[in-house]
Amino acid sequence: MSSEEILQEVAVEVSTCAKCKLCNGRTRAVPGEGNPQARILFIGEGPGFHEDKQGRPFVGPAGQFLDELLASINLQRKDVFITNVVKCRPPNNRDPEPEEIQACSEYLDRQIAAMQPRVIVTLGRFSMAKFFGNEKISSIHGRARKKGSLICIAMYHPAAGLHQASLKDVIRNDFKKIPLIIAEAERMEAEAPKKAPSPSKKLEEPPQQLSLF
Ligand code: URA
Ligand code: SF4
């Protein structure tokens, strides 16, 4: 199956999924969307009010800020893929619970395996935890780390910038590093031996701080 077909298959399963209690309150599940061939994947937390209504990721105020951030580095939604750690809205936008994140992780893992992105940008602490463990966002935001043939970079959630004005410029500055990271990922890809290890193996390797960031 092509990456597009796998992503489509995941989206269909997610639309009727009942693997955790978040299915009870959802209007629509939000599988994520974008370019199946994108080399860069953004992972947020979970759908909010507007996303739940429309079935699309980041379409409310945080999404508007994300669009501005993408535009600032000459990217549009059609150039990237955007998804979330949980695909159904937590009631009143509460934090997703560990069991919910665990139940939903199969979908995210399948999306990552299908896309094989070169760069993953985590938005907020829940997606950060998947790639960076217990670190604090205040100390690692904007830092790129190499994991096998993948580069991960942790960012504050765009909604944090809306709630706390001082973070807005921090997020803007962190985003400005993305083009350089994409260039580095492309250089790594060009140099890599043709037969890359499977993505799941790559994620298990300890992260390596990239010296240039
Ligand atoms: N916040 C998220 O984390 N994801 C969305 O899709 C929207 C808001
Ligand atoms: Fe299924 Fe994920 Fe929705 Fe839970 S959040 S019901 S695991 S799609």
Side-chain angles (χ1 to χ4, degrees), residues 106-119:
E106 176 214 324
Y107 299 122
L108 180 56
D109 290 341
R110 281 163 63 195
Q111 289 173 316
I112 295 170
M115 277 188 65
Q116 303 226 11
R118 295 295 153 183
V119 177

Side-chain angles (χ1 to χ4, degrees), residues 14 17 19-20 22-23 26 86-88 103-104 107:
V14 157
C17 175
K19 288 204 301 172
C20 84
L22 293 182
C23 69
R26 76 172 171 232
V86 292
K87 315 301 194 201
C88 304
C104 215
Y107 299 122

Side-chain angles (χ1 to χ4, degrees), residues 104-170:
C104 215
S105 66
E106 176 214 324
Y107 299 122
L108 180 56
D109 290 341
R110 281 163 63 195
Q111 289 173 316
I112 295 170
M115 277 188 65
Q116 303 226 11
R118 295 295 153 183
V119 177
I120 288 183
V121 182
T122 62
L123 301 171
R125 60 201 163 96
F126 293 98
S127 53
M128 180 182 78
K130 184 175 176 75
F131 299 93
F132 294 90
N134 286 331
E135 302 207 54
K136 285 181 71 180
I137 190 132
S138 53
S139 36
I140 66 158
H141 70 89
R143 300 247 194 97
R145 301 230 180 132
K146 206 176 135 194
K147 283 177 175 247
S149 56
L150 185 65
I151 300 178
C152 300
I153 173 163
M155 305 263 176
Y156 281 103
H157 195 286
L162 301 181
H163 297 134
Q164 215 179 314
S166 61
L167 282 183
K168 238 182 161 175
D169 282 338
V170 173

Side-chain angles (χ1 to χ4, degrees), residues 39-43 81-83 108 112 115 117 119-121:
R39 310 318 271 149
I40 176 161
L41 171 66
F42 290 84
I43 309 176
F81 199 91
I82 304 174
T83 190
L108 180 56
I112 295 170
M115 277 188 65
V119 177
I120 288 183
V121 182

